[in-house]
Amino acid sequence: MQVTEKLTRPLTEAKYLNTDNADRYRSIMRIFYENYEKLRYWMYQEEVYEEMTADPYFADYRMEQCQQDLAMLTEWKNLNTIQDTRRVSSIEEFKNKKFRYQMSEYSVEIERLVIRLENLFVEGASLEPTLLERIRLNVERFPKMGKEDPNAVYSWWNDLNNDFIRLNQNYQDYIRDLNSVKAEEMMRTKEFLVFKDKLVEYLRNFIKGLQKNVGVIEEILRLLESETLRQVLDKVNDYEMSIPRMDVEVSREMIEEKTWGRFESIRNWFVAGEGRENEAGRLFDATNEIIRRITRYAAQLSERNALGANRREEYRKVAEIFLRCQDMDEANRMSAMVFGLERPFHLGAAAERVTDSMNQSVYEEPAAELTLRPRVRNYREKSGRTSIRDLAEQKVQAKKKAVEQMKQDWKRIGELESEGRIDFSRLPVIEPRVREILLKWLSDALENWDYTARTEDGRVFSLDMTYADERCVVRCEDGNFTMPKLSIVFQEELV
């Protein structure tokens, strides 16, 4: 976006649409616009007043009010004024400044927009495959336009742009309507089934036209030579520059920028770029998604109607059964069967059975207990309050037990030591507990660069790696394992 003076200035021309006495201002501007369409560009105050008072809504409208309203619209630049000196017959009349009024360019476009908004729901939008056909035919003429005269090129260029603008606006408005909340609600009603097929057929016809024409247009625009494109756009720009304009200064650069921007919009709509999908592809996907949604809603409505029809048949059958009942007791029993629990829920618990006998009835087995907990995130089980217990005695017993276990471990390991070393290749059958201690010592020593470590009781040892390349088998009570031929050598002098 480029911020310019036109973009930042307040749009006072639109002020009459939403201000005090807007009903008078809008009515006056509508009078000017209707006369503008009849090529009556200038109006006097008396003519405006006469048309205003012709409607019963402004029966109490006064000439002074009309003069004030016209002056305010002139101040907001909705009307241009010029003093009429043709009918002046005295200096007094000249001083009274009898004006003629004319709509400004901004006001004409604003009124056109207002009228389009007023008829928005009447006109609506549509998807017209004929627009794609006409755009394709005009794009096919692109290479030939370089040899035509500027007048023909400008007429062809306007037709192409008008069709493209209409296609772009119509498809956006139509897809927006189909994706609106009102359309979603309508698709859920039974009345939607009446014209569902017609709507789907309409969308599919548009998709066929899209597939038929987009590929051709994309190929032509891709193969269009830059020199031909430059010749065509230059002729468009030359014709634009030759059009006389009153009170408007237009430069060549502005016209070239506008023309090139319109061509880029057409190209980007049909031609996909690097890593970018073209607008036609997005429209194709959006239309297909709407068709899938329409079909899904229609299927749901059909199923719902079919379900209702089946239920009606069921109710009729039930009524016939009740009519055949002989007495009230039989009717009560029939009622219990019809209106009772059709699908009772059974709760299953993962409890162990007392016996696996197939002859044992479930009623002969003890009942299983199943605790149900609520399925909420903030649920917490209530914890009972307990007092602090004195565990000193249990701690003493546990410590005593651990010391006894440690003494037994040192005793067993001491029996494996011979001349200050433990050779893994000469070990007898050892217990798993002793194996864990020895392997822990090996792991501690292997983590140091000099293969030394310290036992839990403070003895320093090192690993003898002389025969590490050889293998030995260590036998344990729970199995055997193979390991390098290592030895643990205790260094008593370092204790």
Side-chain angles (χ1 to χ4, degrees):
M1 180 187 70
Q2 185 178 1
V3 179
T4 60
E5 184 181 356
K6 291 182 179 180
L7 178 62
T8 56
R9 80 172 183 86
L11 197 62
T12 57
E13 289 85 352
K15 194 172 182 179
Y16 77 94
L17 296 174
N18 188 19
T19 186
D20 296 337
N21 301 322
D23 56 340
R24 287 156 40 185
Y25 297 138
R26 292 191 59 182
S27 300
I28 292 174
M29 295 306 298
R30 185 58 55 86
I31 291 173
F32 273 95
Y33 182 76
E34 291 176 353
N35 283 272
Y36 176 87
E37 289 187 322
K38 300 174 185 177
L39 303 182
R40 292 184 57 195
Y41 301 122
W42 295 94
M43 294 186 67
Y44 289 96
Q45 175 182 330
E46 292 79 9
E47 295 173 343
V48 176
Y49 176 76
E50 183 180 352
E51 293 199 28
M52 288 283 287
T53 54
D55 195 290
Y57 183 85
F58 294 103
D60 299 332
Y61 194 60
R62 301 188 305 274
M63 181 65 76
E64 292 80 8
Q65 291 177 319
C66 181
Q67 184 178 0
Q68 293 174 1
D69 294 341
L70 292 174
M72 188 59 66
L73 290 171
T74 303
E75 182 179 347
W76 290 334
K77 300 180 181 179
N78 294 112
L79 298 176
N80 298 324
T81 61
I82 186 172
Q83 188 174 3
D84 188 10
T85 58
R86 294 178 301 173
R87 301 181 181 181
V88 175
S89 58
S90 64
I91 298 177
E92 181 93 15
E93 292 180 356
F94 183 81
K95 289 181 179 180
N96 288 334
K97 295 183 180 179
K98 192 175 185 65
F99 291 110
R100 289 191 301 165
Y101 299 90
Q102 181 190 42
M103 288 186 74
S104 63
E105 294 180 358
Y106 270 49
S107 300
V108 173
E109 296 299 328
I110 290 174
E111 277 299 308
R112 285 173 179 169
L113 172 63
V114 171
I115 293 175
R116 190 158 58 248
L117 292 175
E118 291 173 356
N119 300 321
L120 183 63
F121 296 103
V122 178
E123 297 176 357
S126 62
L127 299 176
E128 301 181 23
T130 55
L131 286 177
L132 289 167
E133 292 279 353
R134 283 157 45 182
I135 291 174
R136 178 180 61 81
L137 294 175
N138 281 326
V139 171
E140 288 177 347
R141 296 174 58 192
F142 220 117
K144 302 177 182 178
M145 285 295 107
K147 301 178 182 178
E148 299 290 336
D149 62 282
N151 192 7
V153 173
Y154 187 75
S155 177
W156 160 83
W157 176 253
N158 277 339
D159 291 341
L160 175 61
N161 278 272
N162 291 335
D163 290 340
F164 174 72
I165 292 172
R166 185 178 175 185
L167 170 67
N168 203 23
Q169 293 178 350
N170 283 359
Y171 100 82
Q172 291 176 356
D173 295 342
Y174 195 79
I175 297 298
R176 179 205 60 201
D177 293 341
L178 293 179
N179 287 324
S180 63
V181 177
K182 184 178 179 181
E184 288 282 343
E185 294 176 352
M186 187 176 181
M187 290 180 186
R188 301 175 188 272
T189 61
K190 295 181 180 180
E191 292 77 9
F192 177 68
L193 293 174
V194 178
F195 62 93
K196 182 264 299 182
D197 295 334
K198 184 177 180 180
L199 178 58
V200 172
E201 185 66 22
Y202 179 75
L203 294 175
R204 285 177 176 169
N205 288 335
F206 177 75
I207 289 179
K208 292 178 182 178
L210 196 66
Q211 293 175 327
K212 177 182 177 182
N213 297 286
V214 169
V216 178
I217 297 174
E218 181 179 6
E219 187 67 20
I220 295 174
L221 293 177
R222 284 185 182 276
L223 300 178
L224 187 62
E225 297 180 358
S226 58
E227 183 63 28
T228 303
L229 175 62
R230 174 56 60 185
Q231 291 178 357
V232 174
L233 297 185
D234 283 345
K235 290 186 177 182
V236 174
N237 297 332
D238 293 341
Y239 191 89
E240 286 267 8
M241 290 296 297
S242 65
I243 298 176
R245 292 178 173 85
M246 300 293 293
D247 299 331
V248 178
E249 294 184 2
V250 179
S251 63
R252 178 83 180 191
E253 291 76 11
M254 293 173 57
I255 293 178
E256 289 179 352
E257 183 179 357
K258 181 191 74 171
T259 306
W260 183 257
R262 289 186 176 181
F263 173 77
E264 283 295 319
S265 298
I266 297 174
R267 180 181 177 86
N268 294 335
W269 207 94
F270 292 100
V271 181
E274 297 180 358
R276 176 187 57 80
E277 186 181 8
N278 57 4
E279 196 67 26
R282 295 192 185 97
L283 175 58
F284 181 81
D285 295 338
T287 309
N288 278 329
E289 179 60 29
I290 291 173
I291 293 176
R292 284 193 291 268
R293 189 166 73 249
I294 292 173
T295 306
R296 183 171 65 250
Y297 282 136
Q300 293 176 357
L301 290 172
S302 299
E303 292 177 0
R304 193 184 307 167
N305 293 339
L307 182 62
N310 293 338
R311 284 296 176 89
R312 285 194 295 271
E313 294 296 329
E314 292 178 2
Y315 293 153
R316 186 180 293 107
K317 184 66 175 179
V318 170
E320 293 175 357
I321 294 175
F322 272 102
L323 287 175
R324 289 198 296 267
C325 292
Q326 300 297 327
D327 52 15
M328 196 64 184
D329 181 63
E330 185 178 355
N332 289 335
R333 284 182 290 165
M334 181 60 63
S335 175
M337 179 172 292
V338 173
F339 301 109
L341 290 177
E342 181 182 359
R343 297 178 181 177
F345 292 95
H346 299 277
L347 302 177
E352 295 183 1
R353 295 187 59 187
V354 179
T355 176
D356 293 332
S357 175
M358 62 180 294
N359 298 322
Q360 182 79 15
S361 173
V362 293
Y363 295 101
E364 298 176 3
E365 298 183 11
E369 294 184 1
L370 179 63
T371 304
L372 300 179
R373 295 180 177 85
R375 296 182 177 180
V376 293
R377 295 182 179 179
N378 55 357
Y379 170 73
R380 294 182 180 178
E381 294 185 1
K382 294 182 179 180
S383 57
R385 296 180 180 180
T386 58
S387 59
I388 299 176
R389 294 181 298 171
D390 186 8
L391 302 177
E393 185 177 353
Q394 288 85 340
K395 292 180 180 179
V396 172
Q397 293 296 332
K399 183 178 180 181
K400 184 178 179 181
K401 185 178 180 180
V403 171
E404 290 295 332
Q405 180 68 37
M406 187 178 297
K407 288 180 179 180
Q408 292 179 9
D409 293 339
W410 293 131
K411 182 179 178 182
R412 293 189 185 95
I413 293 176
E415 294 174 355
L416 301 177
E417 184 179 343
S418 176
E419 298 179 357
R421 63 190 297 141
I422 299 176
D423 191 349
F424 282 89
S425 63
R426 298 180 182 179
L427 290 177
V429 179
I430 59 177
E431 299 176 359
R433 172 68 179 169
V434 175
R435 180 190 62 211
E436 292 177 2
I437 296 175
L438 295 177
L439 292 180
K440 182 180 181 303
W441 291 355
L442 282 179
S443 177
D444 294 343
L446 290 172
E447 289 179 356
N448 296 327
W449 64 274
D450 56 352
Y451 302 114
T452 60
R454 189 184 297 271
T455 63
E456 288 78 359
D457 59 349
R459 299 180 65 187
V460 178
F461 66 89
S462 63
L463 295 182
D464 185 359
M465 309 290 291
T466 306
Y467 304 100
D469 296 337
E470 300 180 11
R471 298 287 175 179
C472 65
V473 178
V474 178
R475 296 182 298 278
C476 306
E477 293 180 354
D478 55 353
N480 303 332
F481 69 93
T482 304
M483 62 171 287
K485 192 175 180 181
L486 303 177
S487 298
I488 295 177
V489 180
F490 294 97
Q491 303 174 11
E492 299 295 344
E493 66 275 13
L494 298 178
V495 178

